[in-house]
Amino acid sequence: MGRWYAMVTLASAPLLVGVLELVARAEGAVLVHCTAGKDRAGIAAACVLSVLGADPEDVVADYARTSVALPALRRRLGLVAVASDIAVLLDADPATMAHMLAVLDQEHGGIAEVLAEAGLTAATSARLRDRLVVPAADPTHR
């Protein structure tokens, strides 16, 4: 699954740059979603977090949080009992995101590099940081 996510990221890099540009320009909240909130939305979230400089472990942990909502989604879709060979497609296994990040890092220089090659500019990355990153409190100021 991780290799497939990497392939989706590479094939969709220009579209993912567009998502990041929209997030950077938005004046209010932005909702990025897909059916389960783990595949396309998970890849988009991994892109945002990676461009913002999040550690791979934090990107994986963010992805894994999707697991909390998946049982309710399965019930809603009538997929209460799922064969183990299909379950991998429906889970948010942290190993999937970890493998995707590793493949993109080892073979393409990382997500940020993939997105830069697809047109992500430093200006858009800076707008994302300005919009989404809360500066750490300066312990010397009160």
Side-chain angles (χ1 to χ4, degrees):
M1 282 294 291
R3 170 120 351 234
W4 180 69
Y5 273 24
M7 290 170 40
V8 168
T9 302
L10 292 166
S12 304
L15 295 172
L16 290 163
V17 168
V19 169
L20 272 62
E21 289 170 343
L22 288 170
V23 172
R25 288 193 314 260
E27 293 183 20
V30 176
L31 174 64
V32 176
H33 67 90
C34 60
T35 301
K38 69 174 193 74
D39 298 322
R40 292 164 292 181
I43 291 169
C47 289
V48 170
L49 291 169
S50 295
V51 167
L52 294 177
D55 291 328
E57 297 80 18
D58 294 325
V59 176
V60 170
D62 180 75
Y63 174 78
R65 284 187 194 100
T66 303
S67 294
V68 174
L70 292 178
L73 175 67
R74 284 184 182 177
R75 284 191 302 275
R76 192 173 74 229
L77 295 175
L79 299 172
V80 179
V82 177
S84 62
D85 58 340
I86 295 173
V88 69
L89 299 173
L90 302 174
D91 290 337
D93 183 350
T96 296
M97 183 57 65
H99 191 210
M100 180 195 90
L101 295 173
V103 167
L104 292 174
D105 187 49
Q106 293 165 5
E107 298 177 13
H108 303 280
I111 290 180
E113 182 63 27
V114 168
L115 296 172
E117 289 178 11
L120 182 66
T121 65
T124 296
S125 296
R127 279 195 307 274
L128 280 170
R129 270 188 294 287
D130 289 346
R131 194 163 187 278
L132 301 175
V133 177
V134 176
D138 183 350
T140 62
H141 275 117
R142 290 202 170 231

